[in-house]
Amino acid sequence: MRDLVYPPVIAFAKTAFTVLDLRIRRTGTEHVPRTGGALIALNHISYVDFVLGGYGALPSKRLVRFMAKEVLFRNRYSGPLMRGMHHIPVDREAGAASYQQAIRHLEAGELVGVFPEATISRSFQLKEFKTGTVRMAAEAGVPVLPMILWGTQRMFTKDHPRDFTRHRPIAISIGAPITVTREDDPGEATARLRETMAGMLDETIRSYPEQPAGAWWLPAAYGGGAPTPEEAERLDREELARRAERRR
């Protein structure tokens, strides 16, 4: 697969990281295989997660093909970039096509990035996971790599203005590969993946260098001002209702 667009986009991102003087801490990068397919499962807390998620794989000299909303591929500005980087459009009305495209990428030895929560978590804690992640890994015969991002929500997330303040700490943590087979129950395998990532998220939050009490970007369970998971679920339902009303 020829990559004429991805390298200059990476160079631009690295320049932006330098200008912003982001204090990026990557751990577990040795778990990213240098060859062969693997499915990277990421938590979802911001609109820039795919940028920093891809950065986590760079020490292994690998490019990640992310599964992303189809609307981004139709956008006048992001569309050419998303297509040029061979990311995978996800149409929720016709998800089978994107699922099969991801399988083809994995079987061809690519890294595919997926957000098992499907949408951004307003609580910044893990939402419920969809089973598609483990089902894809099992069908393609590749491992799942759990990845946790933290600090990206402070830059650009739901319900808050963009804030690209300099010197911000960003944490990227990659866990050991998880093997999933066709014989595994998808529900049980998904629960194991979520439990693993929940533990990684807890460790990442606790080791993050900034822990200001009441901060809007810190989960309520850690003394922050973010919505609780229950409050976040209510906000998600209200957002979906507003979208449905606009469509009508």
Side-chain angles (χ1 to χ4, degrees):
M1 187 179 295
R2 297 185 64 193
D3 280 294
L4 301 178
V5 176
Y6 222 140
V9 169
I10 290 173
F12 176 81
K14 285 183 174 180
T15 301
F17 297 163
T18 301
V19 170
L20 292 174
D21 191 26
L22 295 182
R23 291 180 286 153
I24 302 175
R25 179 173 177 265
R26 293 181 290 199
T27 58
T29 55
E30 69 277 6
H31 294 307
V32 180
R34 291 187 172 270
T35 59
L39 191 60
I40 300 179
L42 306 91
N43 65 319
H44 204 4
I45 54 176
S46 86
Y47 292 111
V48 296
D49 287 340
F50 71 97
V51 179
L52 274 303
Y55 191 69
L58 284 186
S60 292
K61 301 186 182 343
R62 301 296 303 273
L63 302 177
V64 184
R65 316 299 177 181
F66 281 94
M67 300 186 75
K69 291 180 180 178
E70 189 269 341
V71 66
L72 293 174
F73 293 77
R74 289 188 282 110
N75 182 276
R76 163 191 230 174
Y77 303 105
S78 63
L81 294 176
M82 298 297 284
R83 293 190 296 272
M85 290 186 283
H86 306 292
H87 292 316
I88 303 167
V90 177
D91 184 346
R92 292 181 181 175
E93 302 300 321
S98 57
Y99 182 95
Q100 291 304 321
Q101 185 176 351
I103 293 291
R104 289 194 295 272
H105 279 325
L106 292 169
E107 290 178 338
E110 297 278 351
L111 296 183
V112 172
V114 63
F115 300 99
E117 299 165 277
T119 60
I120 289 175
S121 169
R122 284 181 160 97
S123 72
F124 308 127
Q125 293 181 268
L126 297 183
K127 296 161 64 76
E128 291 303 312
F129 280 16
K130 309 294 184 184
T131 61
T133 300
V134 299
R135 288 190 290 108
M136 280 190 292
E139 185 170 340
V142 300
V144 178
L145 295 177
M147 180 185 288
I148 291 294
L149 304 174
W150 192 249
T152 59
Q153 76 276 30
R154 301 176 66 184
M155 300 170 71
F156 187 18
T157 192
K158 286 186 175 183
D159 308 326
H160 295 276
R162 299 177 183 87
D163 182 2
F164 294 100
T165 300
R166 300 183 72 236
H167 317 305
R168 181 155 287 154
I170 301 291
I172 305 172
S173 176
I174 305 169
I178 297 172
T179 300
V180 184
T181 69
R182 292 175 183 266
E183 287 70 40
D184 291 327
D185 177 84
E188 293 178 358
T190 298
R192 290 197 301 272
L193 172 62
R194 188 181 184 280
E195 182 179 3
T196 297
M197 292 180 64
M200 291 172 59
L201 178 59
D202 177 70
E203 182 178 342
T204 302
I205 293 174
R206 294 184 187 280
S207 63
Y208 192 70
E210 298 177 12
Q211 303 281 342
W216 67 263
W217 50 266
L218 193 62
Y222 295 82
T228 65
E230 294 75 22
E231 292 168 339
E233 186 177 349
R234 175 181 58 80
L235 292 171
D236 288 344
R237 289 196 301 268
E238 291 175 355
E239 180 184 17
L240 289 173
R242 288 194 298 271
R243 288 182 184 176
E245 182 63 27
R246 284 197 297 269
R247 287 196 295 270
R248 286 197 293 270

